């Protein structure tokens, strides 16, 4: 399954992630920062395209970093990554390890990204506007289900099969008890490439990937920062807020998230439906 990361306008998102440990040994002589900078180029699939390849001449093993976050996005002798919307100027630098174990870092280089191709389908399912573009999607409790919030088997269930609301608990009372009194009936949260908004008045950011915590279960991962989705807490772990979820279902109209309890076998499930044209 392809990997992809999704982010806001403050974060650059890419397909690859790098091991923080530096264990590559170059057999060539030491390279200076100036030499590495001069030999480091960024090329796009086409002008302005989001699919990038990084080259160093002569070829050597490098790690590529997003200069705005210092996150490693690719590594190799001709590493590649994919940037996702929105359009922006993206800054990168590379590092390489010399034969004596020292590390050389290049200066930053930039490239403008304005065209986006080869994006996986899950991107449309979470952020799609239904017309081939990307916009704001707004979600509320999926009240068509007999149970849209509650617990079940982590890594096995696709919804709250053990206990939950509304058939076994009152969602408004649960929201008050969990410290999120505005997350009951009628509450909502919205997702777009610029961030997250909630009906409780909080804002944040979101990153989505196609990674699976349990192989063959779900379609990806959703990570929040600054806020959480509706009733986004772990009840059997002191009602602590949860920021990372498995995406169990995302079809453009329905979104099902799951988060693991610390015991390792229990999952909490959050079932939402899309609010049209909000």
């Amino acid at each position: 399954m392809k990997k992809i990361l999704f982010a806001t306008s403050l974060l650059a998102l890419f397909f690859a992630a790098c091991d923080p440990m530096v264990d590559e040994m170059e057999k060539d002589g030491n390279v200076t920062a100036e030499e590495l900078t001069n030999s480091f180029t960024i090329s796009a699939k086409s002008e302005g395209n989001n699919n990038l390849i990084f080259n160093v001449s002569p070829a050597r093993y490098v790690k590529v970093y997003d200069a705005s976050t210092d996150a490693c996005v690719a590594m190799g002798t001709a590493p590649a990554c994919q940037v996702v919307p929105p359009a922006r100027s993206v800054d990168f630098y590379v590092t390489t390890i010399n034969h004596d174990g020292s590390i050389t870092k290049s200066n930053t280089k930039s490239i403008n990204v304005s065209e986006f191709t080869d994006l996986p389908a899950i991107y449309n399912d979470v952020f799609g506007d239904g017309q081939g573009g990307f916009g704001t999607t707004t979600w509320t409790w999926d009240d068509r289900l007999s149970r849209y919030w509650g617990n079940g088997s982590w890594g096995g269930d696709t919804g709250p099969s053990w206990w939950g609301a509304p058939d076994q608990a009152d969602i408004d009372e649960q929201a008050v008890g969990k410290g999120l009194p505005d997350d009951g009936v009628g509450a909502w949260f919205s997702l777009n490439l610029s961030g997250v908004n909630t009906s409780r008045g909080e804002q944040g950011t979101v990153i989505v990937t196609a990674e699976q915590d349990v192989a063959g279960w779900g379609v990806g991962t959703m990570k929040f920062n600054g806020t959480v989705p509706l009733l986004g807490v772990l009840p059997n772990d002191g009602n602590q807020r949860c920021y990372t979820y498995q995406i169990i279902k995302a079809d453009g109209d329905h979104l099902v998230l799951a988060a693991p309890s610390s015991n390792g076998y229990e999952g909490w499930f959050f079932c939402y439906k899309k609010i049209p044209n909000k």
Side-chain angles (χ1 to χ4, degrees), residues 76-260:
T77 54
C81 78
Q82 186 183 69
V83 181
V84 301
R88 60 195 181 278
S89 176
V90 190
D91 302 322
F92 300 97
Y93 64 86
V94 299
T95 66
T96 190
I97 188 167
N98 297 302
H99 75 284
D100 64 357
S102 62
I103 296 174
T104 299
K105 174 183 174 181
S106 76
N107 293 335
T108 297
K109 292 191 175 183
S110 303
I111 189 169
N112 291 318
V113 177
S114 57
E115 177 191 61
F116 299 91
T117 63
D118 306 320
L119 296 173
I122 189 175
Y123 206 72
N124 287 317
D125 295 335
V126 175
F127 299 104
D129 62 6
Q131 300 176 353
F134 304 105
T136 298
T137 56
T138 305
W139 308 89
T140 190
W141 294 115
D142 192 350
D143 55 10
R144 293 167 290 191
L145 301 176
S146 61
R147 196 175 299 157
Y148 50 69
W149 174 85
N151 60 358
S153 174
W154 176 256
D157 283 336
T158 56
S161 65
W162 296 351
W163 174 87
D167 70 333
Q168 294 175 312
D170 182 273
I171 194 66
D172 290 332
E173 290 181 359
Q174 291 297 316
V176 170
K178 304 301 181 287
L180 295 170
D182 297 319
D183 281 15
V185 174
W188 55 267
F189 67 102
S190 64
L191 306 173
N192 61 48
L193 296 169
S194 297
V196 182
N197 285 289
T198 69
S199 56
R200 75 177 81 95
E202 295 179 354
Q203 297 179 332
T205 59
V206 65
I207 297 174
V208 179
T209 78
E211 295 178 347
Q212 295 174 314
D213 186 77
V214 179
W217 184 63
V219 295
T221 299
M222 184 175 291
K223 295 182 179 181
F224 292 82
N225 183 49
T227 189
V228 293
L230 299 182
L231 213 49
V233 299
L234 298 174
N236 291 332
D237 289 290
N239 293 325
Q240 64 176 298
R241 287 195 172 200
C242 181
Y243 294 91
T244 300
Y245 300 81
Q246 287 296 286
I247 305 171
I248 306 303
K249 182 178 183 179
D251 63 8
D253 293 313
H254 306 89
L255 179 65
V256 178
L257 305 179

Side-chain angles (χ1 to χ4, degrees), residues 4-16 50 52 54 65-73 81-92 111 113 116 123 193 206-209:
I4 188 167
L5 298 178
F6 303 86
T8 68
S9 59
L10 299 180
L11 297 174
L13 307 206
F14 311 91
F15 271 131
N50 61 316
L52 307 178
F54 305 86
Y65 293 84
D66 169 17
S68 65
T69 63
D70 290 321
C72 182
V73 300
C81 78
Q82 186 183 69
V83 181
V84 301
R88 60 195 181 278
S89 176
V90 190
D91 302 322
F92 300 97
I111 189 169
V113 177
F116 299 91
Y123 206 72
L193 296 169
V206 65
I207 297 174
V208 179
T209 78

